Amino acid sequence: MSSTSISAPAILRSQRWALAALLLGGIVIGCSPIFVRLSEVGPMTTAFWRVALGMLPLLGWQAASQSRGEADARPAGFSDYIALCVPGVMLAGDLVAWHISLHLTSVANATLLANMAPIFVTLGGWLLFRTKISRIFLTGLALALAGVVILKGGPAALGGGDIKGDVIAIIAAVFYAGYILSLGKVRSRYSTLTVMLWTTGSAAICMLPLALFFEAGFWPYTLFGWAILIGLAWLSHAGGQGLIIFALAWLPAAFSSLTLLIQPVVATILAWLLLSETIGIMQAVGGIIVLAGILVARRG
Protein backbone atom coordinates (compact mmCIF):
# COMPACT_ATOMS: atom_id res chain seq x y z
CA MET A 1 0.00 0.00 0.00
CA SER A 2 1.43 3.39 -0.94
CA SER A 3 1.74 6.25 1.53
CA THR A 4 -0.73 8.30 -0.56
CA SER A 5 -3.54 5.89 0.35
CA ILE A 6 -2.83 6.15 4.08
CA SER A 7 -4.33 8.93 6.19
CA ALA A 8 -2.10 11.55 7.78
CA PRO A 9 -2.87 10.39 11.37
CA ALA A 10 -2.01 6.81 10.39
CA ILE A 11 1.29 7.97 8.88
CA LEU A 12 2.09 9.93 12.04
CA ARG A 13 1.38 6.89 14.22
CA SER A 14 3.57 4.73 11.99
CA GLN A 15 6.39 7.27 12.22
CA ARG A 16 6.14 7.28 16.01
CA TRP A 17 6.35 3.49 16.09
CA ALA A 18 9.26 3.65 13.65
CA LEU A 19 11.08 6.16 15.88
CA ALA A 20 10.54 3.90 18.90
CA ALA A 21 11.86 0.92 16.90
CA LEU A 22 14.88 2.94 15.73
CA LEU A 23 15.79 4.02 19.27
CA LEU A 24 15.34 0.49 20.59
CA GLY A 25 17.44 -0.86 17.72
CA GLY A 26 20.21 1.61 18.54
CA ILE A 27 20.08 0.61 22.21
CA VAL A 28 20.25 -3.10 21.36
CA ILE A 29 23.15 -2.64 18.93
CA GLY A 30 24.88 -0.60 21.63
CA CYS A 31 25.31 -3.92 23.47
CA SER A 32 27.48 -5.34 20.68
CA PRO A 33 30.86 -3.99 21.91
CA ILE A 34 30.37 -5.95 25.14
CA PHE A 35 29.76 -9.17 23.18
CA VAL A 36 32.78 -8.47 20.95
CA ARG A 37 34.98 -7.80 23.97
CA LEU A 38 33.94 -11.12 25.58
CA SER A 39 34.19 -13.22 22.39
CA GLU A 40 36.63 -16.14 22.36
CA VAL A 41 37.43 -15.77 18.65
CA GLY A 42 39.10 -12.97 16.70
CA PRO A 43 37.32 -9.79 15.60
CA MET A 44 36.91 -10.88 11.95
CA THR A 45 35.58 -14.28 12.99
CA THR A 46 33.28 -12.68 15.54
CA ALA A 47 31.89 -10.43 12.79
CA PHE A 48 31.27 -13.47 10.58
CA TRP A 49 29.45 -15.42 13.30
CA ARG A 50 27.43 -12.33 14.08
CA VAL A 51 25.74 -12.47 10.68
CA ALA A 52 25.97 -16.25 10.05
CA LEU A 53 24.22 -17.19 13.29
CA GLY A 54 21.89 -14.25 12.75
CA MET A 55 20.46 -16.10 9.75
CA LEU A 56 18.90 -18.76 11.99
CA PRO A 57 16.08 -16.68 13.56
CA LEU A 58 15.52 -15.01 10.18
CA LEU A 59 15.04 -18.39 8.46
CA GLY A 60 12.65 -19.38 11.26
CA TRP A 61 10.72 -16.14 10.72
CA GLN A 62 10.56 -16.86 6.98
CA ALA A 63 9.27 -20.40 7.55
CA ALA A 64 6.58 -19.12 9.91
CA SER A 65 5.51 -16.45 7.40
CA GLN A 66 5.28 -18.97 4.58
CA SER A 67 3.24 -21.36 6.72
CA ARG A 68 0.72 -18.56 7.29
CA GLY A 69 0.57 -17.92 3.56
CA GLU A 70 1.91 -14.36 3.83
CA ALA A 71 2.91 -12.93 0.46
CA ASP A 72 6.07 -10.88 0.04
CA ALA A 73 7.62 -9.00 -2.85
CA ARG A 74 10.42 -10.88 -4.60
CA PRO A 75 13.32 -9.55 -6.67
CA ALA A 76 12.37 -9.61 -10.35
CA GLY A 77 15.73 -9.28 -12.08
CA PHE A 78 19.50 -9.00 -11.77
CA SER A 79 19.37 -5.33 -10.76
CA ASP A 80 17.00 -6.18 -7.91
CA TYR A 81 19.35 -8.88 -6.61
CA ILE A 82 22.26 -6.44 -6.73
CA ALA A 83 20.25 -3.78 -4.90
CA LEU A 84 19.42 -6.25 -2.11
CA CYS A 85 23.04 -7.39 -1.78
CA VAL A 86 24.59 -3.91 -1.66
CA PRO A 87 23.58 -3.21 2.00
CA GLY A 88 25.16 -6.53 3.05
CA VAL A 89 28.43 -5.68 1.27
CA MET A 90 28.41 -2.27 2.96
CA LEU A 91 27.72 -3.84 6.36
CA ALA A 92 30.60 -6.28 5.87
CA GLY A 93 32.92 -3.43 4.94
CA ASP A 94 31.84 -1.46 8.01
CA LEU A 95 32.38 -4.33 10.44
CA VAL A 96 35.73 -5.36 8.94
CA ALA A 97 37.10 -1.81 8.81
CA TRP A 98 35.96 -1.00 12.34
CA HIS A 99 37.43 -4.19 13.82
CA ILE A 100 40.74 -3.56 12.04
CA SER A 101 40.83 0.02 13.30
CA LEU A 102 40.37 -1.22 16.87
CA HIS A 103 43.72 -3.01 16.54
CA LEU A 104 45.56 -0.12 14.88
CA THR A 105 44.42 2.90 16.85
CA SER A 106 42.97 3.69 20.25
CA VAL A 107 39.51 2.43 21.12
CA ALA A 108 38.41 6.06 21.64
CA ASN A 109 39.58 7.05 18.16
CA ALA A 110 38.06 4.00 16.46
CA THR A 111 34.67 4.42 18.14
CA LEU A 112 34.55 8.18 17.70
CA LEU A 113 35.56 8.26 14.03
CA ALA A 114 33.37 5.30 13.07
CA ASN A 115 30.38 7.18 14.53
CA MET A 116 30.90 10.05 12.09
CA ALA A 117 28.63 8.14 9.68
CA PRO A 118 25.73 10.67 9.95
CA ILE A 119 27.93 13.25 8.22
CA PHE A 120 28.42 10.95 5.24
CA VAL A 121 24.76 9.88 5.23
CA THR A 122 23.62 13.51 5.12
CA LEU A 123 26.18 14.37 2.44
CA GLY A 124 25.40 11.24 0.40
CA GLY A 125 21.65 11.81 0.60
CA TRP A 126 22.09 15.36 -0.66
CA LEU A 127 24.52 14.46 -3.46
CA LEU A 128 22.86 11.25 -4.67
CA PHE A 129 19.16 11.79 -3.95
CA ARG A 130 18.93 15.58 -3.55
CA THR A 131 17.47 15.15 -0.08
CA LYS A 132 16.54 18.49 1.48
CA ILE A 133 18.40 19.33 4.69
CA SER A 134 17.02 21.90 7.12
CA ARG A 135 19.11 24.17 9.32
CA ILE A 136 17.42 22.71 12.40
CA PHE A 137 18.52 19.22 11.37
CA LEU A 138 22.09 20.40 10.77
CA THR A 139 22.08 22.03 14.21
CA GLY A 140 20.95 18.77 15.78
CA LEU A 141 23.56 16.85 13.80
CA ALA A 142 26.36 19.16 14.97
CA LEU A 143 25.12 18.99 18.56
CA ALA A 144 24.92 15.18 18.58
CA LEU A 145 28.37 14.78 17.02
CA ALA A 146 29.81 17.20 19.57
CA GLY A 147 28.22 15.04 22.27
CA VAL A 148 29.94 11.94 20.89
CA VAL A 149 33.30 13.76 20.92
CA ILE A 150 32.77 14.77 24.56
CA LEU A 151 31.54 11.27 25.44
CA LYS A 152 34.78 9.78 24.14
CA GLY A 153 37.03 12.15 26.06
CA GLY A 154 37.00 15.35 24.02
CA PRO A 155 39.30 16.38 21.14
CA ALA A 156 42.33 15.44 23.25
CA ALA A 157 41.31 11.76 23.00
CA LEU A 158 42.20 11.82 19.31
CA GLY A 159 45.85 12.31 20.14
CA GLY A 160 46.48 8.76 21.31
CA GLY A 161 45.85 6.88 18.08
CA ASP A 162 47.66 5.91 14.90
CA ILE A 163 46.90 7.77 11.67
CA LYS A 164 46.48 4.53 9.68
CA GLY A 165 43.92 3.19 12.16
CA ASP A 166 42.15 6.55 12.24
CA VAL A 167 41.79 6.53 8.44
CA ILE A 168 40.40 2.98 8.50
CA ALA A 169 37.88 4.02 11.18
CA ILE A 170 36.71 6.83 8.89
CA ILE A 171 36.41 4.27 6.07
CA ALA A 172 34.18 2.24 8.42
CA ALA A 173 31.97 5.32 8.82
CA VAL A 174 31.72 5.68 5.04
CA PHE A 175 30.71 2.02 4.69
CA TYR A 176 28.09 2.42 7.42
CA ALA A 177 26.71 5.47 5.64
CA GLY A 178 26.47 3.42 2.45
CA TYR A 179 24.70 0.72 4.45
CA ILE A 180 22.05 3.12 5.78
CA LEU A 181 21.52 4.84 2.42
CA SER A 182 21.21 1.59 0.47
CA LEU A 183 18.86 0.17 3.10
CA GLY A 184 16.65 3.22 2.74
CA LYS A 185 16.27 2.59 -1.00
CA VAL A 186 15.43 -1.14 -0.87
CA ARG A 187 13.23 -0.84 2.23
CA SER A 188 10.68 1.14 0.22
CA ARG A 189 10.13 -1.93 -2.00
CA TYR A 190 10.71 -4.97 0.20
CA SER A 191 9.68 -6.13 3.66
CA THR A 192 11.91 -6.08 6.73
CA LEU A 193 12.34 -9.86 6.51
CA THR A 194 13.36 -9.88 2.83
CA VAL A 195 15.88 -7.09 3.34
CA MET A 196 17.29 -8.75 6.47
CA LEU A 197 17.72 -12.12 4.73
CA TRP A 198 19.56 -10.70 1.74
CA THR A 199 21.63 -8.24 3.75
CA THR A 200 22.67 -10.81 6.35
CA GLY A 201 23.41 -13.54 3.81
CA SER A 202 25.53 -11.33 1.55
CA ALA A 203 27.45 -9.93 4.54
CA ALA A 204 28.22 -13.47 5.74
CA ILE A 205 29.49 -14.50 2.30
CA CYS A 206 31.77 -11.45 2.18
CA MET A 207 33.22 -12.01 5.66
CA LEU A 208 33.72 -15.79 5.58
CA PRO A 209 36.98 -15.78 3.56
CA LEU A 210 38.37 -12.97 5.72
CA ALA A 211 37.66 -14.96 8.89
CA LEU A 212 39.18 -18.15 7.45
CA PHE A 213 42.37 -16.69 5.95
CA PHE A 214 43.28 -13.84 8.28
CA GLU A 215 42.57 -15.28 11.72
CA ALA A 216 43.24 -18.50 13.60
CA GLY A 217 40.63 -20.13 15.81
CA PHE A 218 37.45 -20.23 13.78
CA TRP A 219 35.37 -22.13 16.35
CA PRO A 220 34.63 -21.04 19.95
CA TYR A 221 35.98 -23.59 22.40
CA THR A 222 33.45 -23.29 25.25
CA LEU A 223 29.67 -23.05 25.63
CA PHE A 224 30.19 -19.55 27.02
CA GLY A 225 31.93 -18.58 23.77
CA TRP A 226 29.00 -19.88 21.72
CA ALA A 227 26.53 -18.09 24.03
CA ILE A 228 28.35 -14.78 23.46
CA LEU A 229 28.21 -15.21 19.66
CA ILE A 230 24.54 -16.23 19.75
CA GLY A 231 23.71 -13.20 21.87
CA LEU A 232 25.59 -10.95 19.43
CA ALA A 233 23.87 -12.56 16.43
CA TRP A 234 20.33 -12.84 17.73
CA LEU A 235 20.11 -9.75 19.94
CA SER A 236 22.40 -7.17 18.30
CA HIS A 237 22.10 -8.24 14.68
CA ALA A 238 18.75 -9.95 14.10
CA GLY A 239 17.00 -7.85 16.74
CA GLY A 240 18.78 -4.51 16.48
CA GLN A 241 19.30 -4.38 12.71
CA GLY A 242 15.77 -5.71 12.16
CA LEU A 243 14.31 -2.82 14.14
CA ILE A 244 16.43 -0.33 12.20
CA ILE A 245 15.40 -1.77 8.84
CA PHE A 246 11.74 -1.66 9.92
CA ALA A 247 12.12 2.02 10.88
CA LEU A 248 13.73 3.00 7.58
CA ALA A 249 10.42 2.42 5.79
CA TRP A 250 9.04 5.49 7.60
CA LEU A 251 11.99 7.68 8.60
CA PRO A 252 14.63 9.51 6.52
CA ALA A 253 18.05 7.85 6.31
CA ALA A 254 19.88 10.96 7.56
CA PHE A 255 17.77 11.23 10.71
CA SER A 256 17.97 7.46 11.26
CA SER A 257 21.77 7.49 11.15
CA LEU A 258 21.82 10.42 13.59
CA THR A 259 19.53 8.65 16.05
CA LEU A 260 21.88 5.65 16.03
CA LEU A 261 24.47 7.83 17.78
CA ILE A 262 22.73 6.59 20.91
CA GLN A 263 24.84 3.43 20.45
CA PRO A 264 28.07 4.79 21.99
CA VAL A 265 26.03 6.17 24.89
CA VAL A 266 24.58 2.71 25.58
CA ALA A 267 27.98 1.04 25.11
CA THR A 268 29.55 3.40 27.65
CA ILE A 269 26.82 2.70 30.22
CA LEU A 270 27.11 -1.07 29.73
CA ALA A 271 30.90 -0.95 29.99
CA TRP A 272 30.44 0.85 33.31
CA LEU A 273 27.90 -1.70 34.58
CA LEU A 274 29.48 -4.92 33.28
CA LEU A 275 33.18 -4.20 32.76
CA SER A 276 33.75 -1.74 35.63
CA GLU A 277 34.90 1.01 33.27
CA THR A 278 34.57 4.42 34.89
CA ILE A 279 32.12 7.11 33.79
CA GLY A 280 33.13 10.68 34.57
CA ILE A 281 31.34 13.98 34.32
CA MET A 282 32.54 14.40 30.71
CA GLN A 283 30.94 11.10 29.64
CA ALA A 284 27.66 11.97 31.37
CA VAL A 285 27.55 15.43 29.79
CA GLY A 286 28.43 13.98 26.37
CA GLY A 287 25.58 11.47 26.57
CA ILE A 288 23.09 14.19 27.49
CA ILE A 289 24.27 16.35 24.58
CA VAL A 290 23.88 13.43 22.13
CA LEU A 291 20.29 12.92 23.23
CA ALA A 292 19.61 16.68 23.03
CA GLY A 293 21.01 16.75 19.48
CA ILE A 294 18.71 13.91 18.45
CA LEU A 295 15.68 15.78 19.85
CA VAL A 296 16.66 18.97 18.01
CA ALA A 297 17.20 17.11 14.73
CA ARG A 298 13.81 15.46 15.09
CA ARG A 299 12.18 18.91 14.98
CA GLY A 300 13.92 19.50 11.63
Side-chain angles (χ1 to χ4, degrees):
M1 180 180 293
S2 65
S3 58
T4 57
S5 62
I6 305 176
S7 65
I11 292 176
L12 182 59
R13 285 195 299 270
S14 297
Q15 289 177 336
R16 288 173 177 171
W17 278 109
L19 178 58
L22 185 68
L23 290 171
L24 181 58
I27 291 171
V28 171
I29 294 177
C31 302
S32 60
I34 305 299
F35 288 119
V36 173
R37 180 80 68 86
L38 297 175
S39 176
E40 295 176 349
V41 295
M44 298 280 191
T45 307
T46 299
F48 165 74
W49 284 118
R50 171 179 181 163
V51 289
L53 292 173
M55 285 293 291
L56 297 179
L58 297 177
L59 292 173
W61 182 6
Q62 182 185 46
S65 298
Q66 291 176 345
S67 67
R68 292 194 297 266
E70 296 179 1
D72 199 0
R74 296 178 178 272
F78 181 74
S79 60
D80 290 344
Y81 289 109
I82 294 296
L84 283 167
C85 288
V86 167
V89 175
M90 293 294 172
L91 177 62
D94 165 56
L95 292 175
V96 168
W98 184 56
H99 286 165
I100 291 175
S101 71
L102 285 171
H103 290 270
L104 295 179
T105 189
S106 66
V107 173
N109 283 32
T111 305
L112 173 61
L113 295 173
N115 277 286
M116 296 295 106
I119 296 176
F120 299 109
V121 173
T122 303
L123 182 61
W126 178 70
L127 290 174
L128 299 176
F129 311 123
R130 296 302 176 189
T131 303
K132 294 183 179 180
I133 305 170
S134 69
R135 291 183 179 180
I136 295 177
F137 176 82
L138 290 176
T139 301
L141 171 62
L143 189 61
L145 291 173
V148 173
V149 173
I150 295 171
L151 179 71
K152 291 302 175 182
L158 288 172
D162 178 85
I163 186 63
K164 184 187 299 183
D166 292 346
V167 170
I168 294 176
I170 294 174
I171 292 174
V174 174
F175 270 114
Y176 194 76
Y179 171 66
I180 292 294
L181 287 170
S182 56
L183 277 181
K185 298 303 290 184
V186 297
R187 185 61 183 91
S188 62
R189 295 183 55 194
Y190 301 101
S191 69
T192 300
L193 176 58
T194 297
V195 174
M196 279 292 293
L197 282 169
W198 280 90
T199 299
T200 302
S202 55
I205 292 172
C206 290
M207 285 188 283
L208 178 58
L210 297 175
L212 290 174
F213 292 109
F214 290 99
E215 289 183 347
F218 184 74
W219 305 97
Y221 49 86
T222 67
L223 290 177
F224 174 80
W226 280 111
I228 291 297
L229 292 178
I230 291 173
L232 177 64
W234 293 7
L235 181 65
S236 295
H237 183 74
Q241 295 294 343
L243 289 167
I244 291 168
I245 290 173
F246 165 78
L248 280 168
W250 296 97
L251 298 174
F255 174 74
S256 298
S257 67
L258 173 60
T259 306
L260 294 179
L261 286 177
I262 197 173
Q263 294 177 28
V265 179
V266 174
T268 301
I269 294 173
L270 289 176
W272 169 59
L273 292 174
L274 302 178
L275 302 177
S276 300
E277 294 188 5
T278 59
I279 292 182
I281 295 178
M282 182 173 289
Q283 285 73 32
V285 171
I288 294 172
I289 293 175
V290 169
L291 298 177
I294 293 172
L295 292 176
V296 171
R298 177 58 178 163
R299 294 175 63 88

